[in-house]
Amino acid sequence: MKLIVGNWKMNGRRAALAEVEAVAAAADTAGARLWLAPPATLVMAAADSAGDRIAIGGQDCHHAEDGAHTGCISAAQLVDAGARFVILGHSERRANQDESDALISAKANAARAAGLDVIVCVGETEAERDGGQAEAVVGGQLQGSLPSGADGLIVAYEPVWAIGTGRVPAEADVAAMHGFIRARLVARYGPAGGEVIILYGGSVKPDNAATLMAVPEVGGALVGGASLKADSLLAIAAASA
Ligand code: PEP
């Protein structure tokens, strides 16, 4: 069964909890495992509403457990709010908050220590792909931003140029990159690296999900825009079955 993760980014007010409930209500028959990462303001309410039906997660966390870090949220606080996973190193945070590989790795280790599963995002820009640098860039991100162990780790391959654009890579390019990531995970973690789920992310929609989810080594999807409404997230889950 594929893992379909919705990333709401900075979208959603309390009224959007109705979408969480609709996804949770359909979870048993969805055809995929469903996780949702609402904004931090909704994590606790979403987790309360979802119960054990779907996992609720955060979109970022700090690498320290507590302390003088105004505006930040720790992994332990996410756990306390009911979160079960956290997305780390999304390309929007790498670009807009200047997050380095080393910082993302520190966050990933902190999140694992707190008991959260971690989704570490990697992906190249269009200029990097056009310049033949896609594997070098993704390889560097894997080298620098992963946690020390494979347990509880999920990697999301998200080509930056496919996020929110409606463009998706050719299936052969997705297959090649997922194969490359798998090889790097096995080289780093041994057999445990063979078990890490590798998600594809970038303009996954109900009408392209079946094709993308059938690509070798694609274990599921990280979905932005199409995760905001339960209907479209559930349609992606059904198409991936
Ligand atoms: C994302 O930002 O993780 C993402 C995949 O967004 P979208 O599905 O909107 O391209």
Side-chain angles (χ1 to χ4, degrees):
M1 203 179 263
K2 304 288 184 190
L3 172 62
I4 309 294
V5 184
N7 171 18
W8 283 8
K9 311 189 183 188
M10 200 173 71
N11 296 295
R13 315 274 202 273
R14 267 186 283 191
L17 291 168
E19 303 297 331
V20 176
E21 179 52 36
V23 172
D28 273 357
T29 54
R33 277 199 293 155
L34 290 164
W35 293 5
L36 269 183
T41 49
L42 296 181
V43 165
M44 189 181 295
D48 285 349
S49 150
D52 287 337
R53 297 174 295 173
I54 62 171
I56 300 297
Q59 300 173 13
D60 179 46
C61 70
H62 198 273
H63 57 84
E65 202 173 325
D66 291 294
H69 303 289
T70 301
C72 299
I73 297 172
S74 73
Q77 289 171 323
L78 282 176
V79 171
D80 190 47
R84 287 157 52 186
F85 72 95
V86 64
I87 298 168
L88 296 171
H90 191 282
S91 61
E92 288 155 10
R93 294 199 62 84
R94 289 179 184 266
N96 302 337
Q97 275 76 34
D98 282 329
E99 292 203 354
S100 67
D101 288 333
L103 178 65
I104 295 161
S105 177
K107 291 180 177 195
N109 282 320
R112 286 299 305 133
L116 293 171
D117 285 350
V118 296
I119 301 174
V120 175
C121 304
V122 297
E124 81 286 353
T125 64
E126 186 159 33
E128 289 163 345
R129 174 158 286 272
D130 290 348
Q133 296 299 304
E135 286 193 357
V137 168
V138 169
Q141 291 171 336
L142 291 170
Q143 177 72 28
S145 49
L146 295 184
S148 48
D151 194 35
L153 169 65
I154 292 159
V155 172
Y157 168 56
E158 300 205 297
V160 177
W161 51 273
I163 293 178
T165 61
R167 299 166 56 203
V168 293
E171 288 161 61
D173 290 337
V174 176
M177 187 59 86
H178 278 242
F180 170 78
I181 293 170
R182 175 67 68 210
R184 288 294 173 101
L185 290 170
V186 170
R188 175 157 178 167
Y189 297 117
E195 303 301 316
V196 172
I197 296 171
I198 308 172
L199 305 177
Y200 167 77
S203 294
V204 177
K205 310 284 180 206
D207 62 356
N208 63 18
T211 306
L212 288 163
M213 295 303 103
V215 173
E217 296 291 7
V218 172
L222 183 54
V223 184
S227 73
L228 294 173
K229 292 291 174 199
D231 284 355
S232 57
L233 189 67
L234 292 169
I236 288 170
S240 76

